[in-house]
Amino acid sequence: MSSRKKVLLVGESWISSASHAKGFDQFFTTTAHNGAVNFLKVMSDTDYDVTHMPSEVAQSQFPAKVEDLAQYDAIILSDVGANTILIHPDTWLHSKIFPNRLKVIAEYVKNGGSIMMVGGYLSFQGVNGQARYRNTPIEKLLPVTCLPYDDRQETPEGSEVKVISAEHPVVAGLPATWPVLLGYNEVVLHPEATLVATVGEDEHPLIAARDMGNSRSLVWTSDMSAHWMPDDYLAWPGYKALWVNCLDWLTARG
């Protein structure tokens, strides 16, 4: 039996459509994207068995029972809006009563599970406020609170990272110099949380951690891949170590 800890990564996928005009003629294409490829690659030879549930799968297949989530040591929500988890096709298409899966996650954490949110256009409050995690059971678990509006901070010139709590296990052993980030979600630090690192001129939270006794929560408010995370991060010696540290801290108990 494998001793690797089990992690459920939800999100990090999208589908784009394009219209192509070539003189008289026009045609359309559709492309599927997976933003978790690099993360999954570096985690493949660690102590973590990561199951990726893409956004288009999560709407119908994300567990609706706490006991089905209990197999996981941690859940990561990355660039997937609250509606995808909240509104099951049975409710959306057939007006049927269905469990509130945001509450299911909250119960999972209450029972000792841990949760992490990674930034993106559909994380925290998100683009045009569409991620909609503000005032949800998920927000109540996090080490940050969400703004009531579009929370994106786009910084194409690059935003510097500043480690605030160098003694925290999430940043243990990481290089002193971090590559810049090209954007992030602006959030507000929870009063019970530890600010581990900031990003940008206004030093907004980048990494924040919250220990709730028998469970833990963590945030990284930028992307885990394009577009806010440039390729420099993939070549950075700290890229793999950062994610391993995050999961080590999340899944530690006591």
Side-chain angles (χ1 to χ4, degrees), residues 25 94 169 191 211 217-218 226:
D25 297 295
H94 306 295
D211 193 328
S217 65
L218 186 66

Side-chain angles (χ1 to χ4, degrees), residues 205-225:
L206 172 64
I207 303 174
R210 183 179 174 191
D211 193 328
M212 296 175 284
N214 70 331
S215 63
R216 292 176 169 182
S217 65
L218 186 66
V219 297
W220 164 271
T221 61
S222 191
D223 275 322
M224 68 162 52
S225 64

Side-chain angles (χ1 to χ4, degrees), residues 171-191:
V171 292
L174 296 182
T177 301
W178 296 43
V180 299
L181 292 163
L182 304 181
Y184 54 92
N185 299 89
E186 181 182 348
V187 294
V188 178
L189 188 70
H190 190 284

Side-chain angles (χ1 to χ4, degrees), residues 4 9 35-50 76 224-225 229 231 233-245 247:
R4 299 172 76 194
L9 170 63
V37 171
N38 294 305
F39 174 83
L40 295 172
K41 181 179 180 180
V42 299
M43 297 304 296
S44 63
D45 63 348
T46 68
D47 293 332
Y48 295 96
D49 180 8
V50 181
I76 303 174
M224 68 162 52
S225 64
M229 178 177 278
D231 288 346
Y233 264 89
L234 305 181
W236 181 52
Y239 179 79
K240 178 178 180 178
L242 171 64
W243 297 118
V244 171
N245 283 356
L247 292 178

Side-chain angles (χ1 to χ4, degrees), residues 64 66 69 85-86 99-110 136-138 141:
V66 176
L69 285 179
I85 300 171
L86 179 63
N100 183 327
R101 292 178 292 181
L102 300 180
K103 291 182 178 180
V104 171
I105 294 174
E107 189 68 18
Y108 155 83
V109 174
K110 180 181 178 181
T136 66
I138 301 302
L141 305 171

